[in-house]
Every structure is written in C-alpha cells, then in structure tokens.
Amino acid sequence: MPIYEYRCTSCSHEFSHRHHRYSEPAPPCPECGAAEPRKLLSTFSASVKASKPSCSPEQCPSAHSCPHGKCCGAH
Ligand SMILES: [Zn+2]
C-alpha cells in the first residue's frame, strides 16, 4: 500500500496517509479539515530504498552499469 505525505495548503500541517487504492483521492487535513492538501514525496519509495540498501552482484554486473548507483560491494 502506498503511503503518501501531505502538507496542508491551509495550515501547513504535515501528515501521512496510507492509500488503499491508487485512485483514492487525497484526504482532508486532519487538523483543519481543508481539502486538497499538497502531496509531498512519498515515503513509500523511500522505504523501498531503505529496505534495499544494496544490490547483488547478479543485479549489478559491472561498476559502470549499476542501476542503483554506488550501492553494491562491486564499486
Ligand atoms: Zn490544515
């Protein structure tokens, strides 16, 4: 499930919301109830990155073609 970070455009309150569907609309601000908070960078992609801090040599055949940056022991 994707978790999105939002910042309220009305009161600047930041909160995260776990979406059950990708098409789910943005939730209202829990502080002031304003609709359409601004979406920030998703923690979902950040947590994916954090859970995969390195790649295996199989995924990373050479130091010059590592698709993940300098994240594997081959560099
Ligand atoms: Zn608000």
Side-chain angles (χ1 to χ4, degrees), residues 15-75:
F15 60 100
S16 59
H17 180 79
R18 182 195 298 262
H19 283 240
H20 299 285
R21 306 187 312 270
Y22 282 95
S23 58
E24 191 173 324
C29 173
E31 287 293 312
C32 71
E36 298 184 23
R38 183 167 170 229
K39 189 185 288 185
L40 302 176
L41 280 178
S42 160
T43 55
F44 178 69
S45 58
S47 62
V48 168
K49 222 182 257 179
S51 66
K52 285 189 164 187
S54 63
C55 53
S56 69
E58 289 78 21
Q59 295 172 301
C60 190
S62 86
H64 298 293
S65 64
C66 178
H68 313 100
K70 293 184 177 182
C71 60
C72 68
H75 302 293

Side-chain angles (χ1 to χ4, degrees), residues 8-13 15 29-34:
C8 179
T9 54
S10 179
C11 70
S12 298
H13 177 67
F15 60 100
C29 173
E31 287 293 312
C32 71

